[in-house]
Amino acid sequence: MTPVLDPVDDPTLVPFLEQAVRLASANVTEDGQLPFAALVVRDGRVVATGVNTALRDDDLTAHAEVVAVREAARALGTMDLSGAVVVANCEPCPQCRSTAALAGIATIAFPVDREAAVAAGFVLPPPAARLQDLLREQVPEGLRYVPMAGADAPFDAWSRGPAAG
């Protein structure tokens, strides 16, 4: 059984969550890519952004959170991103959560949980879903589920067809 995420109310994250949702929507409507985007935020400012380019690049590791963490490390000149937060438009998969943890990022915030992504047609392979469940259960403090109106816009755009808007 999938552990349930408890929603939190954190107004300081809302502008960043909104930016992630806009980037994810544009990734679909403008670039025909998957509806995922992420930011790395430190000290109240965006250090880097990333969008999922797995389709374009034929690269299963080209997830938005991985790209954003990679770009933040380059921008800051260090792989230690302690004190930063990943802000994504959707709950991270195990790969993305692990990448953030390896960079010293303890928190990932998002407005859409995995269940909503599954409802939109994004289903993790069973081994990855089990890993995600384990991470939810064993390390729930690293997840900040901040539901907000309009957060499903990237998935709505995807359902209309990539690059169709």
Side-chain angles (χ1 to χ4, degrees):
M1 182 171 154
T2 301
V4 175
L5 293 172
D6 292 324
V8 297
D9 180 26
D10 189 341
T12 64
L13 290 171
V14 171
F16 301 117
L17 292 163
E18 290 171 339
Q19 184 177 352
V21 169
R22 284 192 305 274
L23 286 170
S25 292
N27 201 42
V28 174
T29 60
E30 296 172 17
D31 298 326
Q33 295 298 304
L34 296 172
F36 302 102
L39 323 169
V40 174
V41 177
R42 184 190 260 177
D43 298 326
R45 71 176 188 87
V46 176
V47 175
T49 64
V51 294
N52 186 304
T53 59
L55 295 177
R56 182 192 71 201
D57 299 340
D58 289 324
D59 181 356
L60 294 172
T61 68
H63 288 201
E65 297 91 335
V66 174
V67 173
V69 167
R70 188 179 298 140
E71 292 304 315
R74 284 186 187 131
L76 296 173
T78 180
M79 292 186 292
D80 181 2
L81 302 179
S82 299
V85 175
V86 170
V87 178
N89 72 297
C90 186
E91 181 177 356
C93 74
Q95 169 184 257
C96 295
R97 189 129 181 237
S98 297
T99 298
L102 288 168
I105 298 172
T107 303
I108 301 178
F110 53 92
V112 174
D113 62 13
R114 181 179 87 198
E115 289 73 22
V118 167
F122 293 91
V123 180
L124 289 173
R130 285 193 302 277
L131 279 172
Q132 192 171 42
D133 287 346
L134 284 170
L135 288 169
R136 265 190 184 185
E137 182 181 321
Q138 299 297 317
V139 195
E141 66 276 4
L143 297 176
R144 301 215 17 112
Y145 174 41
V146 187
M148 60 179 223
D152 54 354
F155 297 107
D156 291 344
W158 179 261
S159 71
R160 291 191 300 272

